[in-house]
Amino acid sequence: MKTLEDLQKIREEALRKVNIRSDRSGTRITVGMATCGIAAGARPVMMAILDELEKRNVTDVTVVETGCIGLCKFEPIVEVYVPGHEKVTYIKMDPDKARQVVVEHVINGHPIREWTLESAELE
């Protein structure tokens, strides 16, 4: 059984993570979390993004989840919106790729083009 103090710490941590996701201005990372995305591994991808942002003390990036993006065969899908730039859609993500996207694209400003939808062979 957890103490009241333990429960309060859990509550504060959950609220902090929700607040990371609530602001819509500035850089935004959207993770496709429809059934197909979750089945393909979107939840660990999202957790890796949140963890990497926290580890690097990045607080000005909003992380949100969305439903169906409509490209099931490319799941998990992560979209990165940086003000003043075009949206970049990353496909077939995994937690390691997600961490690299945070560092290279979000922090350093260099999208990883070979992981994007525009580089995919569309059938």
Side-chain angles (χ1 to χ4, degrees):
M1 181 117 193
K2 299 209 181 277
T3 67
L4 187 57
E5 184 177 300
D6 292 336
L7 293 173
Q8 184 64 26
K9 286 179 184 176
I10 292 169
R11 179 180 183 275
E12 287 170 6
E13 178 67 16
L15 285 173
R16 187 187 61 73
K17 286 186 178 183
V18 168
N19 286 337
I20 287 175
R21 300 180 195 181
S22 64
D23 182 20
R24 295 278 182 178
S25 64
T27 299
R28 186 172 75 231
I29 301 172
T30 303
V31 181
M33 295 285 283
T35 304
C36 56
I38 293 169
R43 192 169 310 283
V45 166
M46 183 165 194
M47 298 312 294
I49 291 167
L50 291 170
D51 182 61
E52 196 66 27
L53 290 169
E54 183 176 351
K55 182 170 80 173
R56 295 178 180 279
N57 200 30
V58 176
T59 58
D60 60 344
V61 174
T62 304
V63 180
V64 296
E65 57 184 69
T66 191
C68 182
I69 295 175
L71 300 164
C72 299
K73 73 177 187 175
F74 295 114
E75 292 285 356
I77 297 174
V78 173
E79 297 176 331
V80 177
Y81 304 87
V82 176
H85 296 84
E86 287 193 35
K87 170 186 76 172
V88 177
T89 302
Y90 290 99
I91 59 172
K92 298 182 180 179
M93 296 297 291
D94 63 40
D96 291 331
K97 286 181 177 179
R99 289 177 185 281
Q100 290 179 57
V101 166
V102 168
V103 173
E104 291 303 318
H105 186 165
V106 176
I107 295 173
N108 294 328
H110 305 291
I112 305 171
R113 296 286 174 203
E114 61 267 20
W115 297 344
T116 64
L117 181 60
E118 68 183 18
S119 71
E121 300 269 337
L122 300 177
E123 297 173 8

